[in-house]
Amino acid sequence: MTTHTTRIAVFCSGSGSNFKALFQAIENKQLPAEIVLCLSNRARCGAMEFAEQNGIATVHITEQQFGFFDEFAEAMVERLKKHHIDIILLAGYMRKVPDAVVAAFPERMLNIHPALLPKFGGEGMYGIHVHTAVLGAGETETGATVHFVNEEYDKGEILLQRTVPVLPDDTPETLAARVLECEHRLYPDALEKLLTLPGS
Ligand code: GRF
Protein backbone atom coordinates (compact mmCIF):
# COMPACT_ATOMS: atom_id res chain seq x y z
CA MET A 1 0.00 0.00 0.00
CA THR A 2 1.32 3.43 -0.86
CA THR A 3 1.10 6.06 1.86
CA HIS A 4 1.17 9.28 -0.06
CA THR A 5 0.94 12.40 2.05
CA THR A 6 -1.13 15.02 0.26
CA ARG A 7 0.79 18.27 0.01
CA ILE A 8 -1.35 21.31 0.69
CA ALA A 9 -0.90 24.99 -0.09
CA VAL A 10 -3.11 27.39 1.87
CA PHE A 11 -3.81 30.80 0.30
CA CYS A 12 -4.52 33.56 2.85
CA SER A 13 -4.67 37.33 3.18
CA GLY A 14 -5.60 37.89 6.79
CA SER A 15 -5.58 36.51 10.29
CA GLY A 16 -5.51 32.93 9.07
CA SER A 17 -7.77 31.45 11.74
CA ASN A 18 -9.03 28.84 9.26
CA PHE A 19 -5.44 28.03 8.32
CA LYS A 20 -4.62 27.49 12.00
CA ALA A 21 -7.72 25.32 12.47
CA LEU A 22 -6.76 23.22 9.44
CA PHE A 23 -3.18 22.86 10.66
CA GLN A 24 -4.36 21.69 14.09
CA ALA A 25 -7.04 19.37 12.71
CA ILE A 26 -4.63 17.59 10.35
CA GLU A 27 -2.62 16.66 13.43
CA ASN A 28 -5.63 15.81 15.64
CA LYS A 29 -7.45 13.77 13.01
CA GLN A 30 -4.16 12.27 11.78
CA LEU A 31 -5.08 13.05 8.18
CA PRO A 32 -2.64 11.85 5.51
CA ALA A 33 -1.89 15.45 4.54
CA GLU A 34 0.54 18.22 5.32
CA ILE A 35 0.35 21.99 4.85
CA VAL A 36 3.66 22.72 3.18
CA LEU A 37 3.07 26.22 1.83
CA CYS A 38 1.32 29.45 2.77
CA LEU A 39 0.81 31.76 -0.21
CA SER A 40 -0.31 35.33 0.35
CA ASN A 41 -0.70 38.66 -1.43
CA ARG A 42 0.43 40.24 1.85
CA ALA A 43 4.01 39.97 3.07
CA ARG A 44 2.87 40.32 6.66
CA CYS A 45 -0.37 39.00 8.07
CA GLY A 46 -1.44 36.58 10.78
CA ALA A 47 -1.37 33.65 8.39
CA MET A 48 2.19 34.35 7.15
CA GLU A 49 3.41 34.77 10.73
CA PHE A 50 1.81 31.50 11.78
CA ALA A 51 3.45 29.74 8.81
CA GLU A 52 6.88 31.13 9.71
CA GLN A 53 6.48 30.11 13.36
CA ASN A 54 5.59 26.57 12.32
CA GLY A 55 8.27 25.97 9.72
CA ILE A 56 5.88 26.18 6.76
CA ALA A 57 7.31 27.74 3.59
CA THR A 58 5.82 31.07 2.56
CA VAL A 59 5.36 32.76 -0.80
CA HIS A 60 4.45 36.43 -1.03
CA ILE A 61 3.22 37.09 -4.53
CA THR A 62 1.16 39.93 -6.00
CA GLU A 63 0.22 41.13 -9.47
CA GLN A 64 2.21 44.32 -8.83
CA GLN A 65 5.48 42.34 -8.83
CA PHE A 66 4.95 41.51 -12.53
CA GLY A 67 4.57 43.50 -15.75
CA PHE A 68 1.71 41.40 -17.07
CA PHE A 69 -1.08 39.41 -15.43
CA ASP A 70 -0.10 36.27 -17.40
CA GLU A 71 3.42 36.42 -15.95
CA PHE A 72 1.93 36.64 -12.45
CA ALA A 73 -0.29 33.61 -13.10
CA GLU A 74 2.60 31.61 -14.58
CA ALA A 75 4.84 32.48 -11.63
CA MET A 76 2.15 31.32 -9.21
CA VAL A 77 1.82 27.97 -11.00
CA GLU A 78 5.59 27.63 -11.07
CA ARG A 79 5.87 28.25 -7.28
CA LEU A 80 3.15 25.66 -6.61
CA LYS A 81 4.89 23.09 -8.83
CA LYS A 82 8.20 23.77 -7.14
CA HIS A 83 6.61 22.79 -3.80
CA HIS A 84 4.89 19.73 -5.39
CA ILE A 85 1.46 20.94 -4.30
CA ASP A 86 -1.43 18.48 -4.66
CA ILE A 87 -4.27 20.54 -3.18
CA ILE A 88 -4.94 24.26 -2.69
CA LEU A 89 -7.16 25.49 0.14
CA LEU A 90 -8.28 29.11 -0.05
CA ALA A 91 -8.76 30.47 3.46
CA GLY A 92 -9.54 34.16 3.43
CA TYR A 93 -7.56 34.85 0.23
CA MET A 94 -8.84 38.26 -0.88
CA ARG A 95 -7.83 38.03 -4.55
CA LYS A 96 -9.34 36.19 -7.47
CA VAL A 97 -7.16 33.19 -8.27
CA PRO A 98 -5.93 33.45 -11.90
CA ASP A 99 -7.75 31.11 -14.31
CA ALA A 100 -4.42 29.49 -15.26
CA VAL A 101 -3.94 28.41 -11.63
CA VAL A 102 -7.51 27.11 -11.39
CA ALA A 103 -6.94 25.16 -14.64
CA ALA A 104 -3.73 23.65 -13.25
CA PHE A 105 -5.61 22.25 -10.21
CA PRO A 106 -8.87 20.81 -11.53
CA GLU A 107 -11.02 19.55 -8.64
CA ARG A 108 -8.03 20.18 -6.39
CA MET A 109 -8.86 23.63 -5.07
CA LEU A 110 -11.36 24.45 -2.31
CA ASN A 111 -12.65 27.70 -0.85
CA ILE A 112 -14.59 28.42 2.31
CA HIS A 113 -17.37 30.99 2.25
CA PRO A 114 -19.19 32.34 5.35
CA ALA A 115 -22.77 31.75 4.12
CA LEU A 116 -25.00 29.07 2.66
CA LEU A 117 -24.09 29.30 -1.02
CA PRO A 118 -25.58 29.91 -3.54
CA LYS A 119 -27.17 32.53 -1.30
CA PHE A 120 -25.03 35.54 -0.33
CA GLY A 121 -22.16 34.74 -2.71
CA GLY A 122 -20.47 36.49 -5.64
CA GLU A 123 -18.65 39.79 -6.05
CA GLY A 124 -18.76 42.08 -3.05
CA MET A 125 -19.95 39.29 -0.77
CA TYR A 126 -17.01 38.95 1.58
CA GLY A 127 -16.28 39.53 5.25
CA ILE A 128 -18.80 41.56 7.23
CA HIS A 129 -20.79 42.41 4.06
CA VAL A 130 -22.04 38.82 3.94
CA HIS A 131 -23.39 38.88 7.49
CA THR A 132 -24.90 42.36 7.06
CA ALA A 133 -26.75 41.07 3.98
CA VAL A 134 -27.96 37.95 5.82
CA LEU A 135 -29.38 40.07 8.65
CA GLY A 136 -30.86 42.56 6.18
CA ALA A 137 -32.69 39.75 4.39
CA GLY A 138 -34.24 38.60 7.67
CA GLU A 139 -32.81 35.08 7.44
CA THR A 140 -33.30 32.82 10.45
CA GLU A 141 -30.34 30.65 9.59
CA THR A 142 -27.05 31.06 7.79
CA GLY A 143 -23.91 28.93 7.77
CA ALA A 144 -20.70 28.13 5.96
CA THR A 145 -19.89 26.42 2.68
CA VAL A 146 -16.81 24.66 1.37
CA HIS A 147 -16.87 24.44 -2.41
CA PHE A 148 -14.60 23.60 -5.32
CA VAL A 149 -13.12 26.61 -7.05
CA ASN A 150 -13.79 27.21 -10.71
CA GLU A 151 -13.40 30.31 -12.88
CA GLU A 152 -16.57 31.91 -11.49
CA TYR A 153 -16.69 33.53 -8.04
CA ASP A 154 -18.36 31.26 -5.44
CA LYS A 155 -19.96 29.09 -8.14
CA GLY A 156 -18.02 25.80 -7.95
CA GLU A 157 -19.63 22.55 -6.81
CA ILE A 158 -20.44 22.44 -3.10
CA LEU A 159 -18.47 19.85 -1.13
CA LEU A 160 -19.82 20.47 2.38
CA GLN A 161 -22.18 22.91 4.05
CA ARG A 162 -23.33 23.44 7.65
CA THR A 163 -26.01 25.71 9.10
CA VAL A 164 -25.72 28.21 11.95
CA PRO A 165 -28.73 29.90 13.61
CA VAL A 166 -29.31 33.63 13.30
CA LEU A 167 -30.40 34.96 16.69
CA PRO A 168 -32.87 37.85 17.13
CA ASP A 169 -30.32 40.19 18.72
CA ASP A 170 -27.45 39.39 16.34
CA THR A 171 -25.27 42.12 14.90
CA PRO A 172 -23.10 41.42 11.83
CA GLU A 173 -20.18 40.98 14.25
CA THR A 174 -21.82 38.44 16.59
CA LEU A 175 -23.08 36.49 13.58
CA ALA A 176 -19.63 36.56 11.95
CA ALA A 177 -18.08 35.14 15.12
CA ARG A 178 -20.62 32.26 15.28
CA VAL A 179 -20.12 31.42 11.60
CA LEU A 180 -16.32 31.56 11.91
CA GLU A 181 -16.45 29.05 14.76
CA CYS A 182 -18.47 26.76 12.48
CA GLU A 183 -15.94 27.26 9.68
CA HIS A 184 -13.11 26.04 11.90
CA ARG A 185 -14.79 22.61 12.18
CA LEU A 186 -16.29 22.53 8.68
CA TYR A 187 -13.08 23.12 6.68
CA PRO A 188 -11.16 20.21 8.26
CA ASP A 189 -14.21 17.96 7.73
CA ALA A 190 -14.37 19.03 4.08
CA LEU A 191 -10.65 18.36 3.67
CA GLU A 192 -11.14 14.90 5.16
CA LYS A 193 -13.98 14.29 2.69
CA LEU A 194 -11.86 15.47 -0.24
CA LEU A 195 -9.04 13.15 0.78
CA THR A 196 -11.40 10.16 0.71
CA LEU A 197 -12.91 10.95 -2.71
CA PRO A 198 -11.91 8.53 -5.49
CA GLY A 199 -8.67 9.59 -7.14
CA SER A 200 -7.28 11.27 -4.02
C1 GRF B 1 -13.53 33.46 6.60
O1 GRF B 1 -14.73 33.97 7.09
C2 GRF B 1 -13.74 32.76 5.30
O2 GRF B 1 -15.01 32.19 5.16
C3 GRF B 1 -13.59 33.87 4.30
O3 GRF B 1 -12.59 34.70 4.83
C4 GRF B 1 -12.53 34.56 6.24
C5 GRF B 1 -11.12 34.23 6.60
O4 GRF B 1 -10.88 34.32 7.96
N1 GRF B 1 -13.32 33.36 2.99
P1 GRF B 1 -9.51 33.77 8.57
O5 GRF B 1 -8.37 34.55 7.94
O6 GRF B 1 -9.42 32.32 8.28
O7 GRF B 1 -9.63 34.07 10.04
Side-chain angles (χ1 to χ4, degrees), residues 8-148:
I8 298 172
V10 182
F11 285 22
C12 300
S13 303
S15 73
S17 71
N18 276 289
F19 170 26
K20 293 169 195 168
L22 284 161
F23 182 81
Q24 204 54 60
I26 286 170
E27 193 180 309
N28 295 347
K29 288 172 175 258
Q30 306 223 313
L31 300 181
E34 189 184 353
I35 298 173
V36 296
L37 184 69
C38 176
L39 182 146
S40 183
N41 56 308
R42 291 177 59 195
R44 298 235 57 81
C45 61
M48 290 292 257
E49 274 160 31
F50 181 78
E52 281 157 20
Q53 285 158 6
N54 287 279
I56 298 167
T58 58
V59 165
H60 169 229
I61 186 167
T62 67
E63 285 172 57
Q64 290 72 32
Q65 296 163 351
F66 300 87
F68 296 95
F69 189 79
D70 285 358
E71 284 176 14
F72 163 60
E74 266 170 43
M76 199 184 264
V77 172
E78 181 259 317
R79 306 279 201 288
L80 295 165
K81 287 199 171 143
K82 186 179 140 206
H83 287 274
H84 305 284
I85 299 303
D86 299 307
I87 287 179
I88 297 171
L89 302 178
L90 306 184
Y93 183 61
M94 299 300 285
R95 290 281 183 277
K96 189 169 189 298
V97 177
D99 289 353
V101 179
V102 177
F105 288 84
E107 308 292 307
R108 313 301 291 168
M109 193 186 308
L110 299 179
N111 179 43
I112 188 156
H113 184 79
L116 296 173
L117 290 175
K119 283 171 145 184
F120 305 105
E123 297 242 36
M125 279 293 163
Y126 62 89
I128 209 71
H129 303 297
V130 177
H131 308 292
T132 303
V134 167
L135 289 177
E139 300 283 325
T140 54
E141 67 175 17
T142 182
T145 305
V146 175
H147 64 94
F148 288 97

